[in-house]
Amino acid sequence: MTFDRSIKIAPSILSADFANFGQEIRAIEDQGCDWVHVDVMDGHFVPNLTFGPAMCKAIRPHIRTVMDVHLMIAPVDPYIEAFAEAGADVITAHLEAGPHIHRTLQAIRATGKKSGIAINPGTPAEAVAPVLDLVDLVCVMTVNPGFGGQKFIHSQIDKVLSLRKMIDDRPIHIEIDGGITPETAPLVAAAGADVLVAGSGVFSGGSVAKPDVYGQNIAAIRAAAEAAQS
Ligand code: DX5
Ligand code: ZN
């Protein structure tokens, strides 16, 4: 993975057909996505359950781009090694998942993977400042984590602006997760985001039998973001 600030579209397979991940991943990659976003939920840190490292390992051979694993689990430290072994390229943990985010990020870096920190809508941008040297990506949640298809929280845009200033010329991605559509993508791109996660925004209306719709959705989000990127 080389670093740049070009717009990257990362469909969340939380909105894909869970019985058909292999073909779904092939479809979104053939249709031009940049990363594949994998939402891991534990029914404890967030009120929903998805899958663990075994599923990540099973889908890894189907991913030709970047496997972006978003861990919504607490505790997180005992599972980092397993997700690294499952083949994640980026491992993102939540700042709110425990008292020792610095240790968590050190543990992710120790696996040789890219490290990400995610912050919930109620967490200020300043909270990531003390650990910026340990991260390759900051994920700003623009919904409360747990479910796809929620409404974008507009108050998070100022947070993206603050983060962009704080990051300055460091090689750190700003990822946005939740409620991304062609309407909201330009708002966060203009504020400084480069990785846009989209679940319902990419998968709605399409299927592996109708992959063109995925392509149209990806292209619409990308075009709107690129036109607004600062
Ligand atoms: C929410 C997840 C998101 C979610 C986004 O907890 O982290 O990645 O799938 O879904 P949309 O794009 O539908 O808001
Ligand atoms: Zn996510």
Side-chain angles (χ1 to χ4, degrees), residues 207-224:
S207 68
V208 296
K210 279 197 294 180
D212 295 7
V213 178
Y214 295 163
Q216 288 155 16
N217 290 340
I218 290 167
I221 294 169
R222 188 192 303 284

Side-chain angles (χ1 to χ4, degrees), residues 69-210:
V69 176
H70 178 193
L71 298 178
M72 287 162 275
I73 63 175
V76 60
D77 294 9
Y79 303 102
I80 289 169
E81 193 64 45
F83 285 102
E85 278 170 15
D89 297 296
V90 182
I91 300 178
T92 297
H94 268 264
L95 181 147
E96 305 86 358
H100 299 297
I101 187 64
H102 187 279
R103 177 182 292 150
T104 300
L105 295 168
Q106 282 181 317
I108 296 172
R109 279 268 170 96
T111 67
K113 307 298 184 175
K114 299 287 183 196
S115 70
I117 184 170
I119 51 175
N120 284 333
T123 301
E126 292 67 34
V128 307
V131 293
L132 265 194
D133 288 347
L134 283 172
V135 303
D136 302 293
L137 175 148
V138 179
C139 174
V140 176
M141 295 304 304
T142 42
V143 297
N144 287 299
F147 303 95
Q150 303 183 81
K151 211 170 158 325
F152 180 87
I153 302 172
H154 283 260
S155 59
Q156 302 305 301
I157 295 168
D158 280 351
K159 192 192 288 186
V160 180
L161 281 167
S162 306
L163 276 168
R164 186 67 196 86
K165 276 198 201 107
M166 191 191 299
I167 287 169
D168 196 20
D169 60 0
R170 292 177 175 88
I172 299 175
H173 298 288
I174 298 181
E175 178 177 74
I176 308 297
D177 191 359
I180 290 295
T181 63
E183 288 68 46
T184 56
L187 308 176
V188 292
D194 61 302
V195 184
L196 306 185
V197 176
S200 45
V202 166
F203 286 94
S204 63
S207 68
V208 296
K210 279 197 294 180

Side-chain angles (χ1 to χ4, degrees), residues 47-64:
N48 195 6
L49 279 164
T50 54
F51 39 73
M55 178 68 88
C56 291
K57 192 172 185 176
I59 64 175
R60 186 64 187 92
H62 298 273
I63 298 176
R64 289 166 289 164

